[in-house]
């Protein structure tokens, strides 16, 4: 439907001023070009350089965004601000017409404009003076946020948490600003309920229509109905007979239906909706999502904005990142309370790709006020956010925020001193009203005796990771659901790192991207180095040291998720902290700050695939083989086992395996071999007799479905002979062959993502790897391979 938005192509300017100072004149300051939607940091970084944007104390100044607009005719126009960070005033022709104090609430202002030019200005109010105001003291202080005054301000903690890699505090119109001509605002959903009644889908929708019409037509699937418009509202109830169900990625199809309104012969797609049932099994202090009656192992990561500077809705980058997440095997992403709510485009893509979303309220670690006005503001904010998520099948969980209960618990506060009305009363009431039936979690972590216990409810589990426990602690901890886990500082891939940090580890920016908790004398690169020593028995130095860090993080993550996903596990899912690095360097991300997958992504991809074969070390019981089948159809296949002796001998065996649809089964490696073999050297009689094992899952037609390798008896690779890797490249296909045992084979081609990398090869084994260009400008692939074999003994 054609609309008239007078600000669709407006040119904006930006200027800095002291708090409460008059609006700067053209001769007073240097005005910058600004992008709207966008932020102060974006404009400042473009003009002054990225580091200048980081060093800028955004909260210390007022910021003026200005533009002009031409009205062809006089009349009542609607100015719509979808989101402004954070406290602001709107001035039209010099007069204040509206104010706001929440980054996450939109505003609409009716303006009676005469024909001609008009001046629009947004004054972003300096937060520093507001934060310095005296207010009631909190019951506890956050270990992550330095300024407790932020608990009163409805703004993102991005750039305001010293514990994380330095980034940019958002300020400015980060969401679109529109000026609609009279009657030109598009029709929009006011309220929407999508449900299932037995086998039928039921849709109730209320649509706001600004045009002067008596009726509209609503279309859904093969149904169309005419409904009247009363006071600008149209209400419709529609039934879809036996709709196709929507499933998470790997479990079934992502069936979606267009909800369309037709006004005066013009059609507008309001939203794509999906039909599915969703609940949570919380029995025995657990937490497992159940979609369409099927238990789903939720795996993925905590989400990171693709544009942490401008917070823009970059559709290309969003699609690439979310497609990469699906390539990982992810079924869930968590929008964390330390960041910001995501856009409609983000949820559109999650709906299309089959990614469940855990949605936090934007609350984190701080003591939330119990002031009634503040609580009403949060309720209004979250109501608006959740109305935008109605009918979206990807919305899986709403959570009160991150570590809001954990912080006071770890500080020893008694139960009566850590009650939090906003997450215990306000937010669940909004959830029940706006998205009824959506599972609610009071805070992450929470559940069980206390929110510090990983074996009950929702955990933030860093036993493997920040607390440097042995990798075997994954079994002992008995995690039921990890909403955050496995934070490792992992270097980007070698070619991507050369582009992001031309100076390598000597670059001043190398350590800037490394997360570090407050009040500690270690950072998360030290954590990774700890596991380099534990897994490989080496000290990381030089280029090999970077590879050891990559491989140690990859190994730790794959081991933990193999244990959580194995047959007999009671774990309902795990989300890695986090999806994307915020700065160049060794960050927590599974992909780096440019969106390029790291070693951890490649390793987890094999473990998290919809159909996967996994190995777990069961001590004296040897290796156990687990076959996971997320798909609805049963799987009948063969397990092929190859064991390589320490001196080169090879033993092979095969066995049939059946796995139910949406099921998992397991057997011992000895059970496939038919004889006892102490492959993990658990009995420790004499020297270790085996060097590696491979298990292949093969369909009845001979197609390889999955493959897993393991080095034996441990993971140490120092002193292994050069394996004699060779490869050939045909187009975007790489054929890799090795003469000897090749641990941690890395396939790199600048500008490309390999379909597999950071894998092991047995002597004489081959592998076909496909290369996918990151963008259309990628040159012909220049492929380089290497292995961790051949290092110092």
């Amino acid at each position: 439907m054609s609309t008239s938005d007078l600000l669709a192509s407006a040119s904006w300017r930006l200027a800095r001023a002291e708090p409460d100072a008059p609006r700067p004149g053209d001769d007073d300051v240097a005005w910058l070009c600004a992008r709207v939607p966008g932020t102060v940091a974006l404009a400042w970084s473009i003009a002054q350089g990225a580091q200048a944007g980081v060093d800028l104390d955004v909260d210390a100044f007022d910021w003026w965004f200005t533009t002009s607009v031409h009205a062809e005719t006089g009349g009542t126009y609607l100015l719509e601000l979808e989101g402004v960070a954070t406290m602001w005033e709107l001035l039209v022709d010099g007069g204040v017409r509206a104010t706001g104090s929440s980054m996450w609430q939109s505003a609409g202002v009716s303006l009676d404009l005469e024909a001609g030019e008009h001046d629009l200005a947004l004054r972003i109010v300096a937060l520093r003076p507001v934060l310095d105001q005296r207010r009631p003291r909190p019951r506890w202080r956050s270990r992550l946020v330095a300024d407790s005054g932020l608990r009163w301000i409805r703004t993102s903690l991005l750039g305001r948490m010293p514990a994380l890699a330095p980034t940019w505090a958002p300020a400015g119109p980060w969401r679109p600003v529109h000026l609609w001509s009279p009657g030109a605002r598009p029709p929009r959903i006011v309220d929407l309920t999508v449900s299932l009644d037995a086998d039928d889908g039921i849709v109730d929708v209320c649509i706001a229509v600004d045009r002067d019409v008596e009726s509209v037509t609503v279309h859904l699937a093969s149904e169309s109905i005419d409904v009247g418009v009363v006071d600008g509202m149209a209400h419709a109830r529609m039934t879809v007979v036996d709709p196709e169900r929507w499933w998470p990625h790997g479990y079934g199809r992502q069936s979606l239906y267009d909800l369309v309104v037709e006004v005066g012969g013009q059609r507008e797609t309001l939203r794509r909706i999906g039909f599915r049932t969703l609940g949570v099994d919380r029995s025995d202090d657990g937490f497992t999502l159940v979609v369409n009656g099927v238990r789903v192992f939720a795996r993925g990561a905590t989400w990171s904005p693709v544009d942490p500077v401008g917070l823009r809705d970059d559709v290309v980058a969003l699609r690439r990142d979310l497609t990469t997440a699906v390539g990982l095997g992810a079924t869930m992403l968590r929008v964390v309370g330390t960041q910001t709510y995501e856009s409609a485009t983000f949820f559109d893509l999650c709906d299309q790709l089959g990614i469940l979303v855990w949605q936090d309220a934007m609350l984190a670690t701080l003591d939330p006020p119990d002031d009634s006005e503040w609580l009403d503001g949060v309720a209004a904010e979250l109501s608006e956010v959740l109305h935008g998520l109605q009918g979206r099948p990807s919305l899986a969980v709403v959570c009160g925020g991150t570590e809001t209960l954990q912080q006071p618990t770890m500080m020893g506060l008694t139960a009566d001193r850590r009650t939090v009305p906003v997450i215990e009363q306000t937010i669940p009431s909004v959830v029940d009203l706006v998205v009824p039936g959506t599972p609610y979690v009071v805070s992450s972590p929470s559940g069980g005796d206390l929110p510090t216990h990983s074996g009950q409810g929702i955990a933030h589990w860093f036993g493997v990771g920040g607390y440097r426990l042995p990798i075997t602690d994954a079994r002992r901890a008995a995690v039921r659901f990890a909403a955050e886990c496995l934070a490792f500082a992992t270097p980007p891939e070698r070619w991507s790192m050369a582009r992001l940090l031309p100076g390598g580890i000597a670059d001043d920016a190398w350590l800037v991207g490394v997360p570090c908790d407050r009040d500690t004398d270690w950072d998360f690169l030290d954590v990774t180095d700890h596991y380099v020593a534990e897994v490989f028995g080496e000290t990381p130095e030089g280029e090999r040291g970077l590879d050891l860090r990559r491989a140690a993080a990859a190994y730790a993550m794959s081991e933990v998720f193999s244990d959580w996903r194995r047959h007999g596990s009671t774990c309902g899912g795990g989300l890695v902290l986090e999806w994307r690095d915020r700065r160049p360097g060794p960050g927590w991300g599974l992909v780096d700050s440019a969106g390029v997958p790291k070693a951890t992504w490649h390793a987890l991809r094999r473990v998290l695939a919809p159909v996967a074969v996994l190995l777990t070390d069961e001590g004296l019981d040897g290796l156990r083989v687990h076959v996971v089948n997320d798909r609805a159809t049963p799987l009948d296949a063969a397990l092929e086992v190859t064991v390589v002796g320490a001196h080169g001998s090879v033993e092979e065996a095969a066995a049939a395996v059946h796995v139910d649809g949406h099921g998992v089964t397991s057997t011992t490696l000895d059970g496939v071999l038919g004889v006892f073999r102490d492959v993990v050297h658990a009995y420790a009689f004499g020297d270790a007799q085996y060097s590696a094992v491979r298990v292949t899952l093969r369909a009845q037609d001979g197609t390889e479905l999955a493959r897993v390798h393991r080095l034996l008896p441990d993971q140490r690779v120092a002193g292994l002979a050069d394996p004699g890797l060779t490869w050939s490249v045909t187009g975007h296909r790489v054929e890799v062959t090795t003469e000897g045992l090749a641990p941690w084979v890395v396939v790199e081609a600048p500008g490309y993502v390999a379909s597999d990398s950071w894998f092991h090869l047995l002597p004489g084994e081959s592998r076909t790897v496909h290369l996918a260009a990151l963008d259309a400008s990628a040159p012909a692939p220049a492929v380089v391979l290497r292995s961790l074999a051949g290092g110092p003994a």
Side-chain angles (χ1 to χ4, degrees):
M1 180 176 294
S2 63
T3 61
S4 181
D5 177 5
L6 276 65
L7 293 177
S9 57
S11 297
W12 291 81
R13 300 191 305 161
L14 171 68
R16 180 172 70 175
E18 293 298 320
D20 292 324
R23 173 178 171 173
D26 289 347
D27 298 329
D28 297 332
V29 296
W31 287 78
L32 306 178
C33 293
R35 296 181 184 177
V36 174
T39 62
V40 168
L42 176 64
W44 204 261
S45 297
I46 291 173
Q48 309 288 344
Q51 189 57 45
V54 174
D55 295 339
L56 178 67
D57 186 358
V58 170
D59 294 337
F61 301 95
D62 282 0
W63 298 93
W64 289 84
F65 287 80
T66 68
T67 190
S68 62
V69 59
H70 180 78
E72 291 287 345
T73 62
T76 301
Y77 292 74
L78 176 67
L79 183 67
E80 183 184 17
L81 302 103
E82 293 190 15
V84 180
T86 293
M87 303 182 72
W88 54 269
E89 292 180 342
L90 170 70
L91 294 85
V92 180
D93 296 330
V96 175
R97 300 301 303 272
T99 62
S101 58
S102 172
M103 176 175 172
W104 298 299
Q105 281 187 263
S106 64
V109 185
S110 292
L111 301 175
D112 291 325
L113 301 179
E114 297 179 354
E117 294 293 323
H118 296 274
D119 176 76
L120 270 62
L122 266 175
R123 175 192 166 222
I124 311 302
V125 179
L127 286 186
R128 187 72 56 215
V130 180
L131 293 172
D132 290 342
Q133 294 175 6
R134 294 183 63 85
R135 297 181 184 269
R137 295 181 61 183
R139 291 171 294 174
W140 68 83
R141 291 192 175 275
S142 168
R143 290 183 57 83
L144 299 179
V145 183
D147 195 328
S148 294
L150 283 165
R151 72 194 189 102
W152 293 93
I153 310 298
R154 297 308 299 143
T155 195
S156 175
L157 294 178
L158 282 168
R160 300 178 174 111
M161 299 179 68
L164 303 181
T167 186
W168 303 262
W174 67 290
R175 289 271 171 89
V177 180
H178 309 281
L179 183 61
W180 301 111
S181 299
R185 190 182 187 192
R188 61 204 177 278
I189 293 173
V190 175
D191 195 54
L192 172 66
T193 301
V194 176
S195 59
L196 282 162
D197 182 6
D199 291 329
D200 292 340
I202 309 298
V203 175
D204 287 284
V205 62
C206 177
I207 305 167
V209 182
D210 286 353
R211 294 181 62 184
D212 185 16
V213 294
E214 293 184 355
S215 67
V216 299
T217 305
V218 183
H219 305 274
L220 179 65
S222 60
E223 300 297 315
S224 299
I225 61 171
D226 295 326
V227 293
V229 178
V230 179
D231 296 330
M233 297 292 172
H235 299 262
R237 180 179 178 88
M238 305 185 75
T239 299
V240 179
V241 178
D242 194 20
E244 290 191 23
R245 302 290 181 97
W246 182 95
W247 289 91
H249 167 67
Y251 288 81
R253 290 165 50 88
Q254 288 74 57
S255 299
L256 296 170
Y257 295 82
D258 290 337
L259 181 61
V260 177
V261 64
E262 185 177 347
V263 184
Q266 295 178 308
R267 292 189 172 208
E268 180 85 14
T269 299
L270 297 172
R271 190 167 299 167
R272 303 192 77 192
I273 63 173
F275 297 95
R276 52 99 179 107
T277 63
L278 189 147
V280 177
D281 181 358
R282 301 177 190 255
S283 61
D284 193 28
D285 287 330
F287 189 92
T288 300
L289 290 171
V290 181
V291 180
N292 298 325
V294 173
R295 296 168 68 85
V296 169
F297 183 79
R299 67 270 193 181
T302 62
W303 178 247
S304 318
V306 296
D307 177 16
V309 186
L311 297 181
R312 291 169 298 169
D313 198 9
D314 187 331
V315 178
V316 173
L318 267 176
R319 183 177 294 278
R320 187 181 69 185
D321 268 35
L322 292 173
T323 303
T324 303
V326 167
L328 173 73
T331 58
M332 175 174 273
L333 294 169
R334 176 178 165 218
V335 180
V336 185
T338 58
Q339 301 187 24
T340 188
Y341 297 109
E342 271 295 336
S343 67
T345 304
F346 171 84
F347 280 93
D348 287 344
L349 290 167
C350 288
D351 290 338
Q352 294 170 27
L353 295 170
I355 301 174
L356 297 166
V357 179
W358 172 304
Q359 177 65 69
D360 276 6
M362 291 301 121
L363 296 166
T365 75
L366 295 161
D367 177 15
D370 56 8
D371 174 83
S372 60
E373 182 179 353
W374 186 91
L375 292 173
D376 289 345
V378 173
E381 163 199 311
L382 199 64
S383 177
E384 181 176 334
V385 169
L386 293 181
H387 269 96
L389 304 184
Q390 291 176 322
R392 295 188 178 278
S394 58
L395 179 64
V397 175
V398 177
C399 176
T402 184
E403 298 185 3
T404 305
L405 293 180
Q406 184 190 60
Q407 287 280 305
T409 301
M410 296 190 75
M411 293 178 179
L413 271 64
T414 56
D416 61 307
R417 295 184 60 202
R418 57 176 192 265
T419 58
V420 184
V422 68
I423 62 176
E424 295 165 358
Q425 300 164 19
T426 304
I427 296 177
S429 296
V430 175
V431 172
D432 287 344
L433 181 65
V434 182
V435 284
T438 302
Y440 178 69
V441 173
V442 67
S443 181
S444 180
S446 62
D449 300 331
L450 291 172
T452 53
H453 294 171
S454 59
Q456 299 173 312
I458 307 297
H460 286 188
W461 185 72
F462 301 103
V464 175
Y467 298 109
R468 309 186 207 190
L469 296 177
I471 293 174
T472 53
D473 191 64
R475 181 73 59 90
R476 180 177 63 177
V479 173
R480 306 306 302 275
F481 191 100
E484 292 181 11
C485 63
L486 297 172
F488 282 83
T490 308
E493 295 297 90
R494 187 177 291 183
W495 73 265
S496 188
M497 186 170 148
R499 183 179 59 173
L500 295 169
L501 295 168
I505 60 176
D507 195 306
D508 290 340
W510 163 248
L511 293 178
V512 172
V514 179
C516 179
D517 282 347
R518 293 178 65 199
D519 304 323
T520 62
D521 60 357
W522 54 270
D523 61 27
F524 278 84
L525 197 59
D526 295 320
V527 170
T528 306
D529 290 351
H530 168 84
Y531 287 95
V532 170
E534 177 176 305
V535 175
F536 298 114
E538 298 187 48
T539 299
E541 296 178 351
E543 286 291 346
R544 177 177 173 80
L546 294 176
D547 276 348
L548 288 169
R549 286 164 167 163
R550 296 173 179 117
Y555 176 75
M557 289 189 184
S558 59
E559 284 291 285
V560 169
F561 271 96
S562 292
D563 192 84
W564 287 349
R565 213 179 170 204
R566 65 182 165 81
H567 182 253
S569 170
T570 58
C571 182
L575 306 176
V576 175
L577 181 68
E578 60 188 339
W579 171 250
R580 177 192 265 253
D581 289 347
R582 317 218 181 156
R583 297 289 304 277
W588 283 332
L590 295 175
V591 301
D592 64 27
S593 60
V596 177
K598 298 193 207 174
T600 46
W601 183 90
H602 287 286
L604 282 179
R605 185 173 183 269
R606 296 185 284 271
V607 176
L608 302 184
V611 175
V613 58
L614 314 171
L615 289 173
T616 57
D617 186 341
E618 304 296 331
L620 294 180
D621 276 355
L623 292 179
R624 193 162 192 90
V625 183
H626 308 267
V627 182
V628 185
N629 177 30
D630 285 348
R631 296 171 181 170
T633 54
L635 175 65
D636 287 290
L639 284 172
E640 300 174 352
V641 172
T642 301
V643 180
V644 178
H647 303 291
S649 60
V650 175
E651 189 169 351
E652 297 180 321
V657 62
H658 171 84
V659 192
D660 292 336
H662 303 311
V664 58
T665 191
S666 70
T667 183
T668 61
L669 189 76
D670 287 351
V672 179
L673 291 171
V675 292
F676 168 73
R677 295 290 183 262
D678 186 16
V679 294
V680 295
H681 202 221
Y683 288 85
F685 295 145
D687 295 332
Q689 297 299 306
Y690 303 95
S691 63
V693 62
R694 178 184 68 220
V695 180
T696 304
L697 181 68
R698 198 173 299 280
Q700 292 178 327
D701 64 1
T703 303
E704 181 180 305
L705 301 174
R707 181 176 3 181
V708 62
H709 292 74
R710 192 178 188 89
L711 303 179
L712 301 171
D714 57 37
Q715 306 308 303
R716 303 195 175 202
V717 295
L720 287 180
D722 188 305
L725 284 172
T726 57
W727 63 93
S728 61
V729 182
T730 305
H732 291 172
R733 189 180 69 218
V734 185
E735 301 290 342
V736 186
T737 305
T738 182
E739 294 180 4
L741 178 61
W744 300 107
V745 176
V746 184
V747 181
E748 284 195 347
Y752 291 82
V753 176
S755 62
D756 205 1
S757 188
W758 295 94
F759 53 80
H760 307 319
L761 290 177
L762 301 189
E765 187 176 1
S766 299
R767 177 75 61 92
T768 300
V769 176
H770 298 276
L771 302 174
L774 284 171
D775 54 58
S777 64
V783 179
V784 177
L785 268 70
R786 64 184 187 276
S787 164
L788 274 181

